[in-house]
Amino acid sequence: MINAIANAIVLRNRSSSNEILQATFLPDQGMNLISFKKGDIEVIDQSTVPLFEERFAGLGALIGPHFHRRKASVLPKIRDESLFPHIARVKAHGAADPFSHGIARYAPWKATFTENSLEASQSGKEMWNGVSLAELEGQNFKMNFKATLTESSLEIDYDVVSDTDSLVGIHYYYALPQGKGTVTSQVQPKWIGPNGKQSLPDF
């Protein structure tokens, strides 16, 4: 696991069987969930630390406001790529999109927290290394992220409002002990439109 990270947020609670629960986020580095533990059991795959260190992937990365890699024709122009050292490493692997999966996993988030919950936001108006996030993402946007560690689960509420069609998601790398166990999630089939949360259409 990554140790002694500055400004890490560690949420804590206890399970119904009195085991310590911990979820560790890095708001300064894309709100990555670098650790999620029940007692001594770690369920975030620590073997993906090199991906995180190389290009902000791995561990518990976010997705948003766009997914995966965009066409070269719509990529924003970065005036000084040296401000963002991961771009050279990404390009060395043949990828053109400097912020694959969206700016959320790369740039700092503004966050407040209590013992077992956090609320964070990121917007296109904010600056990172002297450049607005809107310029880096190619549009203006506002994302909100809330995490609550209960006695039985980690609850996440994550949304986006933006100039163009956008989405948000999580890209967590799990490592279940000895390959056994289950990961259970409850995902709402909703999207946020002009009238608030609405059911996803059938296709």
Side-chain angles (χ1 to χ4, degrees):
M1 189 186 111
I2 298 174
N3 292 312
I5 298 289
N7 298 323
I9 295 175
V10 182
L11 305 184
R12 294 180 175 87
N13 211 328
R14 284 189 176 270
S15 70
S16 56
S17 57
N18 207 34
E19 291 176 283
I20 295 174
L21 304 175
Q22 286 190 161
T24 304
F25 294 87
L26 294 184
D28 290 349
Q29 294 176 273
M31 198 52 73
N32 195 295
L33 175 64
I34 62 168
S35 175
F36 186 23
K37 298 177 75 172
K38 179 178 182 181
D40 294 329
I41 299 172
E42 171 66 70
V43 297
I44 296 296
D45 188 352
Q46 298 301 305
S47 73
T48 65
V49 167
L51 291 175
F52 173 71
E53 293 175 338
E54 180 189 32
R55 60 181 188 272
F56 296 88
L59 299 174
L62 296 181
I63 296 170
H66 72 271
F67 175 67
H68 203 50
R69 297 174 181 161
R70 296 165 289 183
K71 294 180 180 179
S73 60
V74 300
L75 291 177
K77 304 298 182 195
I78 311 296
R79 288 174 285 171
D80 185 356
E81 293 184 356
S82 69
L83 294 171
F84 310 97
H86 79 279
I87 294 178
R89 296 190 290 271
V90 166
K91 286 190 170 182
H93 289 289
D97 192 335
F99 297 102
S100 178
H101 291 297
I103 197 69
R105 69 171 55 188
Y106 302 88
W109 287 68
K110 292 181 177 178
T112 58
F113 60 96
T114 65
E115 182 180 13
N116 53 32
S117 69
L118 70 83
E119 293 190 26
S121 65
Q122 188 183 81
S123 83
K125 295 179 180 178
E126 291 159 14
M127 306 297 285
W128 182 31
N129 294 340
V131 184
S132 76
L133 298 189
E135 182 176 339
L136 297 174
E137 177 63 24
Q139 64 165 330
N140 200 14
F141 64 89
K142 174 73 182 288
M143 291 185 289
N144 299 295
F145 183 91
K146 181 177 181 180
T148 304
L149 185 59
T150 73
E151 67 175 21
S152 61
S153 65
L154 178 62
E155 299 178 355
I156 294 173
D157 191 349
Y158 182 27
D159 63 65
V160 62
V161 176
S162 57
D163 289 345
T164 66
D165 293 339
S166 294
L167 55 75
V168 292
I170 58 174
H171 194 173
Y172 290 0
Y173 289 74
Y174 296 107
L176 301 178
Q178 300 169 348
K180 298 179 180 179
T182 58
V183 175
T184 304
S185 63
Q186 297 176 337
V187 180
Q188 294 183 14
K190 305 285 186 182
W191 70 286
I192 299 176
N195 300 315
K197 286 186 179 180
Q198 302 171 52
S199 296
L200 291 174
D202 293 327
F203 292 101

